[in-house]
Amino acid sequence: MTAPPKPLSLSAERALSGTVSVPGDKSISHRSLMLGAVASGRTTITGLLEGEDVLATAAAMTKMGAVIARGDTAWTVDGVGGALLEPESALDLGNSGTSARLLMGLIAAHPITATLIGDDSLQARPMGRVTAPLGDMGATFASRGGRLPLTITGAAQPMPIEYTLPVASAQVKSAVLLAGLNTPGDTIVHEGEVTRDHSERMLRGFGAEVEVTETDRGRTIRLRGQPHLSGQAIRVPGDISSAAFPIVAGLIVAGSRVTVTGVGLNPTRTGILEALGLLGANVGVSKDGAAGAEPVGDITVEAGPLTAADIPARLAPLMIDEYPILMVAAAFADGDTEMRGLAELRVKESDRLAVMAEGLAACGVPLRLLDDGIVITGSGGRAIPGGARIDSHLDHRIAMSFAVLGLNAAAPVLVDDARPIETSFPGFAALMQSLGVSAHVDDQER
């Protein structure tokens, strides 16, 4: 039986205040499990995000031979030493597009067959941009229209490729590099726009030879194939994508001051901080060290006037997941904020561009939808009308964004179903309550 929806609305009767930490970075959590699973020896992971998406990756790697266990303070992964086993049943990846696309890369260079399945949302997401380069490396695919359910048969003799990304996508880049691990020779990826580089950093940490060259036309990544990967001790920093929700909440509720500690500050992920700076947000960043190859620090925000700005398209690859919550911030700026370069939002867990436009309009926020972006007319800090019931389309970031929007609304904003939030941010409502927010299961009951 399908679990019933869990409606959620948040309200703020006073200024938000406090210091919080957010769950571990989802991108790094996925990669630590995958690389630990194909390495030799034991990998120990602290701070792993225990959301549904990451747990789907753990279950898939277990089916392919890794031994993964949750301890009192850390997760352990005993790897297969490079040779994945053929799973005896389908790999159910739930809602996780990252799991699907990166696992396709790992499997592509192993002589095994695996079927990937997922929920309705994942099955609607296109996989052709990943199957194309992996097919050039020798993998074969069977699917309906390039979507899940999808069966992949890895190449017995995989071939290295030199591939130029047609769109900025860290997932496609990572899938090709992961396939290159079990491929002789050099696998080369060219990207015209810099995307998040967690894969390159972590591959080096496990012992792979990865060379990155910066040019005026982007970046070239060269991976030397068939390295010996050894288990590592990994500390996963807080996810800046998750931190963005309490950060924006602290910016839009008058008098608020919020600090988020231990956040990953990888420069390929901090576009949201630059974008908020363009809006005039009072954001302070204190770098306090590193978690392995990843810089880490604290972020403190104070509420204050926001001013509309043009958000440059160059930021899109550095903050594609944060645009929904950035749109919430823009709804309270003074003037028209224009965001472009957002075509990628249309192929996320939902068509995030269309869904955000629909929900913002329902809450009384004036806007104009563009083919690859949006123009939002902000309230200048005043409460928006609100009073809408939002269809989250089973998208965790949509659900959290509109929950935050309701903190400065004249009438409650009710998100139809908070269950998808568990995929990336377990304990979201409790964390917001610790800052002084009231959480309601619907528009009448606490």
Side-chain angles (χ1 to χ4, degrees), residues 172-181 187 189 199-200 203 221 223:
V172 177
K173 173 181 68 175
S174 297
V176 174
L177 293 175
L178 291 174
L181 285 175
T187 294
V189 179
S199 293
E200 296 95 304
L203 282 164
I221 305 98
L223 170 72

Side-chain angles (χ1 to χ4, degrees), residues 33-34 37 48 57-62 66-70 75-78:
L33 288 169
M34 291 183 190
L48 185 83
T57 290
M61 300 316 302
T62 298
V67 178
I68 300 176
R70 182 184 187 279
W75 286 70
T76 58
V77 183
D78 292 315

Side-chain angles (χ1 to χ4, degrees), residues 235 237 287-297:
R235 180 165 69 92
K287 296 182 179 179
D288 63 5
E294 301 284 345
V296 175

Side-chain angles (χ1 to χ4, degrees), residues 41-120:
R42 171 166 288 187
T43 291
T44 302
I45 308 168
T46 55
L48 185 83
L49 170 62
E50 296 182 8
E52 292 174 356
D53 282 9
V54 173
L55 297 181
T57 290
M61 300 316 302
T62 298
K63 284 189 174 184
M64 290 188 286
V67 178
I68 300 176
R70 182 184 187 279
D72 292 337
T73 59
W75 286 70
T76 58
V77 183
D78 292 315
V80 298
L84 292 177
L85 303 181
E86 184 165 294
E88 295 182 355
S89 58
L91 305 178
D92 187 349
L93 306 177
N95 189 243
S96 181
T98 302
S99 300
R101 291 177 175 135
L102 269 59
L103 283 175
M104 287 163 62
L106 272 184
I107 295 167
H110 287 80
I112 63 175
T113 297
T115 297
L116 311 185
I117 61 175
D119 65 11
D120 291 345

Side-chain angles (χ1 to χ4, degrees), residues 221-246:
I221 305 98
R222 180 187 297 267
L223 170 72
R224 179 65 52 85
Q226 298 179 325
H228 176 76
L229 303 183
S230 299
Q232 299 295 310
I234 296 174
R235 180 165 69 92
V236 181
D239 196 325
I240 194 168
S241 296
S242 297
F245 298 102

Side-chain angles (χ1 to χ4, degrees), residues 100-302:
R101 291 177 175 135
L102 269 59
L103 283 175
M104 287 163 62
L106 272 184
I107 295 167
H110 287 80
I112 63 175
T113 297
T115 297
L116 311 185
I117 61 175
D119 65 11
D120 291 345
S121 174
L122 183 57
Q123 290 183 177
R125 299 178 68 177
M127 298 293 161
R129 64 176 59 173
V130 181
T131 60
L134 297 181
D136 292 341
M137 300 179 81
T140 59
F141 301 88
S143 67
R144 294 180 180 178
R147 289 172 164 79
L148 271 58
L150 179 148
T151 298
I152 174 173
T153 299
Q157 295 181 317
M159 299 171 289
I161 60 171
E162 183 169 351
Y163 187 69
T164 299
L165 295 175
V167 296
S169 172
Q171 291 182 356
V172 177
K173 173 181 68 175
S174 297
V176 174
L177 293 175
L178 291 174
L181 285 175
N182 210 39
T183 301
D186 289 358
T187 294
I188 303 170
V189 179
H190 303 285
E191 55 180 9
E193 297 177 88
V194 174
T195 64
R196 59 184 65 179
D197 66 352
H198 301 305
S199 293
E200 296 95 304
R201 291 170 182 252
M202 192 173 291
L203 282 164
R204 287 197 193 98
F206 274 86
E209 185 177 333
V210 181
E211 177 184 299
V212 178
T213 304
E214 305 276 357
T215 71
D216 56 1
R217 292 176 294 179
R219 177 181 283 177
T220 295
I221 305 98
R222 180 187 297 267
L223 170 72
R224 179 65 52 85
Q226 298 179 325
H228 176 76
L229 303 183
S230 299
Q232 299 295 310
I234 296 174
R235 180 165 69 92
V236 181
D239 196 325
I240 194 168
S241 296
S242 297
F245 298 102
I247 284 172
V248 170
L251 292 172
I252 66 173
V253 178
S256 296
R257 188 176 193 275
V258 171
T259 297
V260 187
T261 61
V263 180
L265 297 175
N266 183 309
T268 65
R269 293 286 301 282
T270 54
I272 181 62
L273 301 182
E274 182 176 347
L276 290 173
L278 292 174
L279 294 178
N282 187 347
V283 179
V285 178
S286 174
K287 296 182 179 179
D288 63 5
E294 301 284 345
V296 175
D298 301 341
I299 302 171
T300 298
V301 299
E302 294 184 3

